Amino acid sequence: MRLKYKRQEYFKWIMTAVLVLLVCAAMVFLIAGTRRWNQASITDDTQAGEEMQLEGTLANAYIVSCGKDHILVHYQGMDYTFSGTLETDYTGVADLEVAHGQIQCVYAKVSGIEGMLNRYTEEIVQVSGYGELSYDGELPVYVLQNESFVGEKKLSDLVIGASDVRLVVAEGKACALIQYRQENFENIRVLIKNKDDITYSKLYLTSDKAYTVGSTKIKAKKVTDIAKLLGDAKEGEEVLISSGRGMLYLCDKKGTYQTKGYEGDFLVTRKGDGYVLVNELPIETYLRYVLPSEMPTYFSYEALKAQAVCARTFAYKQMRQNAYAEYGANLDDSTAYQVYHASSTYEVTDQAVRDTEGIVITKDGALIDCYYYSTSPGYSENLEVWDTRSPEYLQAENHTKEKTIDLSKKKAFHAFINREPDSYDVKSPYYRWSATISADLGMDAEYGRLEKITVNDRSASGYVLSLTVTFEHGERTYEKENEIRFALGKYVKSVTLSDGSTRSVPGSVPSACFEVISQKDGVIELKGGGFGHGIGMSQYGADAMGSEGKSWQEIIAFYYKDTELVSAQ
């Protein structure tokens, strides 16, 4: 049987004069008539195929091999063997017309573009150097090793900025992705947020050295106005801005720096009426800016090394989550992930990154969920506070030097939170804190004035699991740690810490480990302990352990039970 090759309709942005000539020549050579294959059928040993009663078009299937008397086809996670043969030995993506278990026709899809996977949604996919392409249904991803088929994976299994792919195109649409080599995790892509927004309506960039915008060389200090550069661009079009040996800066239109310098490259993409800014750089360089942003440089050196390993593990894990796949990034620069670029680099933290280069934390061969936080109130938590099943290496346990007690009971928790039992975190100013919600702050746009707070449930480690906030005209119930903290944070301006200092509240109370100690005359008093979600490694606890002579390996083993330290490579 002959193969029929589907004619391609290329986008103008793909075609150049040379490509037009090549494609035309290829089409003259490849297009052939179709001959019916009346004897092709599913063999008896493919029971699953018989049960499915394959009929119609098997769109974007993969022809794995063509033997003398059979064809092996992979389709939607299953292998099927058809009897018969093809006149042309072909392996690759194709549409198969099947009727009554017999192949009637094969349409080979030979055209494609290669590059790094830049972004995708449920409707479009984009490879570096090309515009967006739409696709229908689920986009299959076929994996090759040395050009031989080894399996299929989901689009979400690929890694933005790390997966080299061949995008198969037919009739102006994406049909399949072929991954032909393993991911390269050398670089990471960080979404640079515009405060709480993802896009910038105006964006000016510059560099302290000569730099390039696309293929154009730009003199040092000259400002690039992204609106002029991409103002007429289509949705999803991007430009690469490379710093060379210099640093890249966000600036105003006069060139005054608005940020510290960024290493690596900027990828700027047109999105709606604005622009998305992504910083791509080596992951070890990224960690040099994360470490001093997440942990004070004066903490013990072993704690800094433990933090470097945690930050690296977290980063690699997030690269596989693809939460920002739509924007061409792996994570963002905020506290929602890891704080990036809030600080300059320092020799001590740079050295901590170098001394642990490439080391990550795993459990049974897989990267762990490497959570960490500022201060433990004396007890740690697990993922129970997020109403999620928790892995064994993240344990809710007593970190004080006293006997373990059940803090879910009201009296036991009251006695605990109003003392400062000795623990690794006792020197943190957030070890104990208090906050006040006054009548003038406790207003809800929908339900009116806040009247009462009720703790419905508390974990054995003392963290609030369910909280009801009662207003004049209704009530709201919150049942996750982050929701509880942010719900109350709207009504609290500041907290008083155990050292007597006062700190502003950036949108949430320090932790969900608290009690309501008084509700009188429109004033609600809270007493709590700790800073953060309480899951994984306490940074103040790690500092104390390092100061006592514990190694960074011992610190990690203490907070992440029965895990292994391995090279990310």
Side-chain angles (χ1 to χ4, degrees):
M1 179 183 176
R2 293 179 180 177
L3 294 176
K4 182 176 180 181
Y5 295 87
K6 282 199 170 181
R7 186 181 298 274
Q8 312 302 314
E9 297 177 6
Y10 288 87
F11 288 130
K12 291 181 180 179
W13 48 263
I14 297 179
M15 297 182 66
T16 63
V18 175
L19 185 57
V20 170
L21 294 174
L22 291 174
V23 170
C24 291
M27 296 311 298
V28 170
F29 177 74
L30 291 173
I31 295 176
T34 302
R35 187 175 67 192
R36 293 292 181 184
W37 185 12
N38 296 321
Q39 301 303 317
S41 61
I42 300 175
T43 59
D44 293 339
D45 60 347
T46 313
Q47 183 176 2
E50 294 172 351
E51 291 173 352
M52 292 175 63
Q53 296 182 348
L54 294 175
E55 293 287 330
T57 301
L58 308 188
N60 303 318
Y62 196 93
I63 298 178
V64 178
S65 63
C66 300
K68 292 183 178 180
D69 57 0
H70 72 277
I71 302 172
L72 179 60
V73 175
H74 186 88
Y75 178 66
Q76 294 186 346
M78 298 288 290
D79 289 330
Y80 301 97
T81 301
F82 293 87
S83 61
T85 188
L86 295 179
E87 185 176 282
T88 302
D89 187 13
Y90 173 76
T91 60
V93 178
D95 288 350
L96 307 180
E97 296 292 346
V98 178
H100 309 295
Q102 296 181 338
I103 293 180
Q104 305 299 313
C105 193
V106 177
Y107 298 90
K109 298 182 177 181
V110 297
S111 298
I113 54 179
E114 291 189 1
M116 188 71 70
L117 180 64
N118 258 12
R119 69 179 57 83
Y120 66 82
T121 68
E122 293 181 351
E123 298 176 343
I124 64 95
V125 63
Q126 192 253 333
V127 172
S128 58
Y130 301 90
E132 296 177 350
L133 280 171
S134 63
Y135 64 90
D136 298 323
E138 292 189 11
L139 189 67
V141 179
Y142 299 116
V143 183
L144 304 185
Q145 186 173 347
N146 297 324
E147 291 301 316
S148 296
F149 179 85
V150 295
E152 182 180 357
K153 60 171 59 173
K154 295 180 180 179
L155 180 56
S156 58
D157 293 328
L158 297 178
V159 180
I160 296 297
S163 296
D164 285 312
V165 295
R166 185 179 304 129
L167 181 58
V168 179
V169 182
E171 299 179 352
K173 287 195 172 186
C175 300
L177 281 168
I178 297 175
Q179 183 182 17
Y180 53 89
R181 65 167 62 103
Q182 289 185 336
E183 284 86 359
N184 181 353
F185 287 100
E186 181 180 350
N187 288 353
I188 190 168
R189 293 186 178 188
V190 187
L191 178 72
I192 307 301
K193 298 187 71 175
N194 180 15
K195 296 181 180 178
D196 292 331
D197 295 327
I198 290 176
T199 60
Y200 295 78
S201 58
K202 297 180 181 180
L203 186 59
Y204 303 94
L205 304 172
T206 190
S207 177
D208 57 355
K209 304 281 187 179
Y211 65 107
T212 59
V213 177
S215 59
T216 304
K217 294 183 178 180
I218 308 294
K219 293 181 179 179
K221 304 290 186 178
K222 185 175 181 180
V223 176
T224 295
D225 184 347
I226 298 300
K228 290 182 179 179
L229 189 67
L230 292 176
D232 296 327
K234 296 180 180 179
E235 179 84 3
E237 286 194 32
E238 67 177 16
V239 63
L240 173 66
I241 301 178
S242 299
S243 60
R245 297 182 179 181
M247 304 285 279
L248 293 170
Y249 296 84
L250 278 69
C251 62
D252 62 21
K253 60 183 179 180
K254 294 182 179 180
T256 303
Y257 295 162
Q258 303 295 306
T259 64
K260 297 181 177 66
Y262 286 85
E263 296 190 44
D265 299 330
F266 279 158
L267 291 167
V268 186
T269 307
R270 181 65 188 265
K271 183 70 175 178
D273 295 329
Y275 311 96
V276 174
L277 178 63
V278 172
N279 183 204
E280 182 173 18
L281 72 168
I283 192 166
E284 295 297 316
T285 304
Y286 161 77
L287 293 171
R288 291 175 48 232
Y289 289 89
V290 168
L291 186 50
S293 299
E294 285 284 0
M295 178 175 276
T297 57
Y298 58 79
F299 271 25
S300 64
Y301 189 56
E302 295 303 304
L304 290 172
K305 288 191 285 186
Q307 179 67 57
V309 174
C310 289
R312 184 180 296 107
T313 304
F314 184 90
Y316 277 120
K317 184 79 171 184
Q318 292 307 310
M319 289 179 75
R320 287 212 173 269
Q321 302 302 314
N322 286 333
Y324 278 122
E326 176 182 356
Y327 304 102
N330 305 123
L331 39 63
D332 69 36
D333 59 349
S334 74
T335 55
Y337 289 87
Q338 296 185 125
V339 180
Y340 165 65
H341 215 268
S343 170
S344 300
T345 60
Y346 298 88
E347 178 55 34
V348 65
T349 46
D350 285 356
Q351 189 62 48
V353 172
R354 288 193 293 268
D355 284 349
T356 61
E357 183 175 357
I359 302 300
V360 293
I361 311 170
T362 64
K363 175 69 175 179
D364 298 329
L367 292 168
I368 70 165
D369 292 317
C370 200
Y371 299 108
Y372 56 87
Y373 60 103
S374 169
T375 305
S376 167
Y379 281 68
S380 65
E381 257 298 354
N382 58 29
L383 300 189
E384 175 188 21
V385 294
W386 294 336
D387 194 25
T388 301
R389 183 178 178 181
S390 190
E392 292 183 0
Y393 56 80
L394 294 174
Q395 295 187 7
E397 60 185 4
N398 177 12
H399 288 170
T400 73
K401 297 180 181 180
E402 300 180 353
K403 181 180 178 180
T404 301
I405 57 176
D406 183 356
L407 297 180
S408 65
K409 308 301 181 184
K410 186 175 181 178
K411 288 184 178 180
F413 182 76
H414 175 75
F416 170 78
I417 206 65
N418 284 280
R419 296 186 302 109
E420 295 188 8
D422 192 13
S423 76
Y424 284 126
D425 294 81
V426 72
K427 292 183 179 180
S428 168
Y430 280 95
Y431 193 56
R432 292 293 179 268
W433 52 265
S434 60
T436 300
I437 298 174
S438 59
D440 59 329
L441 292 177
M443 291 294 295
D444 183 87
E446 182 177 355
Y447 293 127
R449 191 177 303 279
L450 188 154
E451 294 183 340
K452 186 174 67 171
I453 297 173
T454 304
V455 174
N456 304 317
D457 191 21
R458 187 186 300 280
S459 73
S461 290
Y463 291 73
V464 177
L465 300 178
S466 176
L467 182 83
T468 297
V469 182
T470 303
F471 301 90
E472 287 180 284
H473 308 298
E475 64 182 30
R476 301 180 188 272
T477 297
Y478 305 93
E479 296 186 334
K480 292 183 179 180
E481 173 269 344
N482 53 336
E483 294 177 356
I484 292 168
R485 290 173 62 195
F486 279 94
L488 296 184
K490 294 186 296 184
Y491 310 117
V492 177
K493 279 188 175 180
S494 63
V495 295
T496 301
L497 308 182
S498 55
D499 63 0
S501 64
T502 300
R503 307 282 177 91
S504 62
V505 176
S508 71
V509 295
S511 80
C513 187
F514 65 84
E515 69 170 349
V516 181
I517 58 175
S518 175
Q519 302 190 77
K520 295 179 180 180
D521 302 323
V523 178
I524 301 174
E525 300 284 347
L526 305 179
K527 179 68 175 182
F531 189 8
H533 45 60
I535 303 167
M537 185 183 76
S538 163
Q539 294 169 314
Y540 268 90
D543 177 42
M545 292 181 71
S547 298
E548 287 186 1
K550 303 292 186 184
S551 69
W552 64 271
Q553 295 95 331
E554 290 174 312
I555 293 171
I556 289 173
F558 178 79
Y559 287 108
Y560 307 101
K561 308 299 184 185
D562 300 320
T563 55
E564 300 86 34
L565 296 167
V566 302
S567 170
Q569 298 304 319

